[in-house]
Amino acid sequence: VYHTPELTPDQPLPDCAVVIDVLRATTTIATALKVGAEAVQVFSSLNDLLATSAAWPEEKRLRAGERGGAMVEGYDLGNSPLDCTPELMMGKRLFLSTTNGTRALQRVENCPQLITASLVNRGAAADYLVKNQPKTLWLLGSGWEGGYSLEDTVCAGAIAAYLTEKGVEFTKGNDEVTAALSLYRQWQDNLLGLFELASHGQRLLKLDRLDDLRYCATEDLIDILPKQVSPGVLTAA
Ligand code: MLT
């Protein structure tokens, strides 16, 4: 479990990276694809998002921009998964840029396998790992500006707990996985309570986004697996 590591150019990448940004980018990505978005294309730069999406037919695109938890002015959406409705999203490409999640995705876009996970699609993500058994795996928490996040770590723990139940053994001495598992086992019956304690949960509560926290804290809600098909482009596997 890493928190958006500063990758050096020669850093060896894992066979598979699972990018986690529970509040809220990877929850939004899973939900958008579930309700029928054609794809989600992610950008760490707002300017790059505008430049690329300008080439897309207006009736086939949505632009979602979030900074500091709030919607960027002039965009169609912020980054609330609750805005992802079939009426709005069906058949369209969602162009998405967020504070941390899209940056984490861009950091590992050269991994052979890149999927996204959140609590709402934890089972689908973990089933992919059981089926594909990557030799090296990063559960990559997006965190906040490179810092630790409770919500991303508890999601990594939820995935590790699911894999453990399926017979996957983690090497001893992996302190981050052990800590993530312990956090999940402590809070699995009160994930919303943990989110309300979390620094980003507090930030979102100040923006009146309790309903987002409730939704993002719901485990195994949707059976959808966002997988990168080309750099920055995710579709439902
Ligand atoms: C992030 O990228 O840090 C989050 O998705 C921000 C948010 O939407 O609250």
Side-chain angles (χ1 to χ4, degrees):
V1 178
Y2 294 79
H3 279 84
T4 321
E6 290 301 333
L7 297 180
T8 54
D10 56 351
Q11 166 105 28
L13 290 173
D15 296 333
C16 178
V18 181
V19 175
I20 302 169
D21 183 2
V22 173
L23 294 176
R24 302 165 286 180
T26 56
T27 303
T28 296
I29 290 168
T31 307
L33 293 173
K34 178 69 180 172
V35 299
E38 169 260 334
V40 179
Q41 189 162 357
V42 296
F43 300 82
S44 48
S45 149
L46 289 169
N47 289 337
D48 291 352
L49 183 155
L50 292 177
T52 304
S53 58
W56 220 261
E58 204 162 326
E59 69 280 2
K60 285 287 188 189
R61 80 179 181 218
L62 286 166
R63 291 168 168 157
E66 170 277 326
R67 287 295 183 270
M71 177 171 135
V72 176
E73 201 174 321
Y75 281 64
D76 303 309
L77 300 163
N79 186 27
S80 170
L82 299 180
D83 290 340
C84 299
T85 60
E87 299 71 27
L88 187 64
M89 298 253 162
M90 185 62 74
K92 294 181 188 166
R93 179 164 292 202
L94 178 64
F95 294 86
L96 175 68
S97 179
T98 70
T99 311
N100 304 279
T102 50
R103 199 175 64 189
L105 278 158
Q106 199 149 43
R107 282 238 170 81
V108 286
E109 69 180 8
N110 296 323
C111 279
Q113 304 166 58
L114 193 171
I115 63 172
T116 67
S118 56
L119 285 167
V120 297
N121 77 313
R122 183 275 306 250
D127 284 339
Y128 174 88
L129 299 175
V130 172
K131 181 164 171 259
N132 292 279
Q133 297 276 330
K135 283 193 177 29
T136 52
L137 165 66
W138 281 3
L139 299 178
L140 184 70
S142 303
W144 188 267
E145 294 176 354
Y148 178 89
S149 86
L150 281 169
E151 68 274 12
D152 294 342
T153 303
V154 82
C155 183
I159 293 168
Y162 188 104
L163 295 177
T164 305
E165 282 158 28
K166 299 276 182 178
V168 172
E169 281 187 33
F170 289 92
T171 47
K172 290 189 174 27
N174 188 328
D175 296 4
E176 294 198 343
V177 169
T178 303
L181 269 165
S182 306
L183 183 70
Y184 176 67
R185 288 183 174 136
Q186 173 77 20
W187 287 93
Q188 61 184 0
D189 298 329
N190 183 19
L191 291 165
L192 178 58
L194 181 66
F195 286 13
E196 289 171 336
L197 281 179
S199 56
H200 191 44
Q202 283 290 308
R203 189 176 291 114
L204 290 172
L205 286 172
K206 289 188 179 84
L207 293 168
D208 195 22
R209 306 304 313 207
L210 175 59
D211 288 345
D212 279 21
L213 264 60
R214 242 186 226 113
Y215 178 80
C216 293
T218 313
E219 240 176 331
D220 301 337
L221 185 68
I222 51 181
D223 183 17
I224 198 87
L225 182 72
K227 191 165 188 294
Q228 180 176 262
V229 290
S230 61
V233 180
L234 298 145
T235 59

